[in-house]
Every structure is written in structure tokens, then in C-alpha cells.
Amino acid sequence: MANAGFDWSLLGIPLLTGLVVVSTHVLLGRRVLERGIIFIDLSIAQVAALGAVSAGVLGWHGESVAGHATALAAALAAAGLLAWTERHWPHIQEALIGCLYVVAASAALLVLANDPHGAEQMQSLLSGQILWVHAKHLWTTAAVYAVVLLAWAAGLRRYAAGFYVLFAVTVMASVELVGVFLVFATLILPALASHGLPERRGLLLGYAVGAAGYALGLWLSVPLDFPAGPLIVCVLAALALCVAAGRRILKPA
């Protein structure tokens, strides 16, 4: 740990990537908690990953238009399915979301079963490669997020179908950027840390936890020589736990 400073040349783009992801995920995560559909993000993220690996098997590179379109189509199909099940079977929605995740994960393993690089590709989709995000990919994703945030502010989130579409688009873009695990962690952990607070204060605290989690996780990943994605997940969890515990201790009797 001779060089304890933050290496901006190595970690600048990854940190900016994390902040861009946090910008949308804290909003969506708080709404997910309100709706009581905690694992929707994990399910749609896994379906988007299934679309990505299927595109790869068909010969469409992940950075190609066809590759992105396949992942987006898979995520939107999952969102449409879950919007339909929420209308017809709301009492078992969480169970259906869990089933969708298991089926999508199993299907992805089957698609990659005969691929000699399948295990490596699946690991990349799950844990992400945040250290190797290209600036061009980041700016493209940031533009997608900007459209999502505008639609969110315009009130599209108030409609079930609109919420699911915005969620699917965001999660699809995020999975290709940081992986399934970080998508889930960024959506849920800051939201849990700020749960129960009024909207403005809750968002500010959620953004603070998310930003700090990415910054600290990236910084520690260099001297510890740990993979950045899983380490950021663990740091986010630790920060969320500390913040929640601190809020409980400081809460007036």
C-alpha cells in the first residue's frame, strides 16, 4: 500500500461510471422498495444478461447495435411480462419475479454450455468489468440515463407500464456497464440505507452512500488487488449497514 492516493488515471473513468449509475439507481431503488418488489432488478438484469449472451452466440458482439438491441428486447420483454403478472396475480408477484430470475440464469448457462469462454463471459456479466469501461460506452449510457431521468420527472413512473419500461431500459444499460451484482447492489443498498426518510433527504442520503461506496471500493481495489466490482458491492453493503445502524442509534426516542 505504498501509494495510498486515488489514482485518477486508472480510476477516474470507473468512478465517473459509478456516479452515473448511482444517478438513476437510487431513484429506482427507492421506488422498488415502496412497491415491495425487491428482486425485480435482479430478475430483469439477469434477463438482459441472457439477451447479451444469446446475441454473442449468434455472432453479434456486445458492443454492436444488434447486441445492444437483443439485450434491450430481452429486458423489455421481461418488463412487459412482469407488468402483466402484476395486474393479474399481484399476490404472487414476488414469487414470479424470483422464478423469472432462476429461469433466466439457467437459460444463460445452457446457452453458454458449449462455449469454451462461457464461464468467463458469465463471470463478466455478473461481476462486471468496471475498471475497463470505455469512455464512449459511458457517454452513450449517460445519454440513455438522461432520457430515463427526463421521462421519470415527466411522470411516466406513475404508470405501472411506464415504470417497468424505464426500469428495463436502465437495468439493460447498467448490466452492460457494471454487471448484474453491482446493478442489484446500487439499486437496493442505498435505498435500504435511506428507507423511511422523506423523498429529498432520502435521495440525498442514498446518493451519498452510493457515491461513497463506489469511490471507496475502487480506491481499495488497487492496493488490495481485489476485483473492483465485488469489492464495491461489499463496501456498499458495509456503508448501508453503518448508516442504517447510525440512524437507528440517533433516532429520537
Side-chain angles (χ1 to χ4, degrees), residues 92-231:
I92 57 171
Q93 178 73 344
E94 191 72 359
L96 294 173
I97 289 172
C99 290
L100 178 61
Y101 169 76
V102 171
V103 171
S106 299
L109 291 174
L110 292 176
V111 169
L112 293 173
N114 296 318
D115 187 336
H117 303 292
E120 180 182 346
Q121 187 174 356
M122 180 57 70
Q123 181 180 354
S124 176
L125 284 168
L126 290 175
S127 60
Q129 297 289 339
I130 190 172
L131 289 179
W132 311 116
V133 172
H134 295 292
K136 181 180 179 181
H137 192 182
L138 173 58
W139 302 133
T140 301
T141 305
V144 172
Y145 287 167
V147 173
V148 168
L149 290 173
L150 286 173
W152 185 275
L156 191 60
R157 68 187 186 276
R158 298 189 182 95
Y159 306 97
F163 169 77
Y164 278 107
V165 168
L166 293 178
F167 199 93
V169 171
T170 303
V171 166
M172 179 279 301
S174 302
V175 165
E176 295 183 342
L177 205 62
V178 298
V180 173
F181 293 158
L182 263 178
V183 168
F184 181 82
T186 312
L187 280 161
I188 298 302
L189 292 171
L192 286 174
S194 62
H195 183 59
L197 289 175
E199 184 71 7
R200 185 180 297 273
R201 289 173 56 198
L203 286 175
L204 288 175
L205 181 57
Y207 285 135
V209 169
Y214 274 89
L216 185 57
L218 285 168
W219 175 58
L220 290 174
S221 70
V222 175
L224 295 177
D225 195 24
F226 282 166
L231 184 57

Side-chain angles (χ1 to χ4, degrees), residues 17 30 33 39 45 61 66 72 76 115 145 151 174 195 203 248:
T17 298
R30 284 176 60 85
L33 287 185
F39 293 104
H61 191 269
L72 177 59
L76 289 174
D115 187 336
Y145 287 167
S174 302
H195 183 59
L203 286 175
R248 185 175 181 84

Side-chain angles (χ1 to χ4, degrees), residues 3-61:
N3 182 12
F6 193 92
D7 187 349
W8 288 99
S9 63
L10 174 65
L11 303 178
I13 291 296
L15 177 58
L16 187 57
T17 298
L19 297 179
V20 168
V21 171
V22 167
S23 70
T24 53
H25 285 45
V26 171
L27 280 170
L28 291 169
R30 284 176 60 85
R31 182 54 58 92
V32 163
L33 287 185
E34 291 172 7
R35 295 170 71 98
I37 45 177
I38 309 303
F39 293 104
I40 180 179
D41 44 1
L42 199 57
S43 295
I44 292 183
Q46 188 59 60
V47 173
L50 172 59
V53 299
S54 299
V57 169
L58 292 172
W60 300 328
H61 191 269

